[in-house]
Amino acid sequence: SGSMAKGKLEQAKAALYASMLKLTDKDTFNIIEFDGAFTTMSPKPIPRGEGGIDESRNWLQSQRAGGKTRLVPALTAAFEQSEDPTRHRMTVILTDGNVQDPREVETLLQQKLGGGRLFVLGIGEDVKQENIMRFAEYGRGLAAFVAEADELEKALSGLFDSVSEPLAWDLDLD
């Protein structure tokens, strides 16, 4: 959104790039920037290896702040991307604003998230924490908040660490 122009966007780009370096060569990813509209880096998830990280760095550097904070179109595009049944889909949202369509986001998560998980990182004091917490709850994921953009890299890195090393996997209860 336009409010990311005050240094937050550059911090978000650096934090996202540093976190992507933690992906393994078996991982695939994509980036979707959103404001009043959205732009997708790739039409489908790309492998981390084979130049994926370099491609993402170049794409990230071309992004500019502007517009409002409309999440539904970008989230819809993310959920419509091809899904590999051998991978667990995880969606990470970085936002500093008041999401314009929170009820629509919740409905979309209920309808389209499937077995995936949603993780949300709120940046700054303008972010609506109650919305972020609800999104993470509907998404069966985590929410985190940072007051200042310079804390973003550490917070996002911690979020990626939590996601990449689950405490339990494929449990059955009898």
Side-chain angles (χ1 to χ4, degrees):
S1 65
S3 60
M4 290 289 280
K6 301 170 188 150
K8 292 180 194 174
L9 184 59
E10 294 309 312
Q11 292 284 339
K13 289 176 186 181
L16 186 56
Y17 181 75
S19 294
M20 288 186 312
L21 291 174
K22 294 182 174 204
L23 297 174
T24 70
D25 286 340
K26 295 178 182 178
D27 292 326
T28 61
F29 70 97
N30 204 348
I31 306 170
I32 301 173
E33 70 80 26
F34 65 96
D35 47 31
F38 70 93
T39 306
T40 305
M41 182 184 75
S42 173
K44 63 181 184 173
I46 61 173
R48 183 233 191 257
E50 303 172 25
I53 294 294
D54 292 336
E55 181 180 337
S56 67
R57 181 178 221 170
N58 293 336
W59 187 84
L60 280 171
Q61 291 308 316
S62 71
Q63 300 308 302
R64 302 290 175 252
K68 299 205 179 265
T69 309
R70 266 198 88 226
L71 182 54
V72 168
L75 206 49
T76 299
F79 294 152
E80 288 176 350
Q81 291 202 344
S82 60
E83 191 168 0
D84 182 341
T86 65
R87 300 174 194 272
H88 188 73
R89 177 180 286 192
M90 295 182 207
T91 304
V92 178
I93 298 171
L94 303 177
T95 183
D96 76 330
N98 180 7
V99 174
Q100 303 291 309
D101 41 15
R103 299 291 179 242
E104 292 175 51
V105 171
E106 293 166 12
T107 300
L108 182 64
L109 290 171
Q110 290 173 330
Q111 294 173 349
K112 302 285 184 179
L113 184 62
R117 303 248 185 232
L118 178 76
F119 302 87
V120 190
L121 183 57
I123 309 163
E125 304 202 5
D126 294 334
V127 71
K128 287 269 199 161
Q129 291 192 7
E130 60 273 9
N131 287 344
I132 300 301
M133 296 295 289
R134 273 199 322 273
F135 298 164
E137 182 180 332
Y138 277 98
R140 299 177 314 278
L142 299 171
F145 301 94
V146 295
E148 300 294 329
D150 60 358
E151 302 168 9
L152 188 54
E153 189 168 333
K154 182 178 178 183
L156 189 57
S157 178
L159 191 63
F160 268 67
D161 287 344
S162 297
V163 169
S164 66
E165 296 187 27
L167 296 176
W169 191 277
D170 200 22
L171 296 177
D172 287 323
L173 293 177
D174 191 12

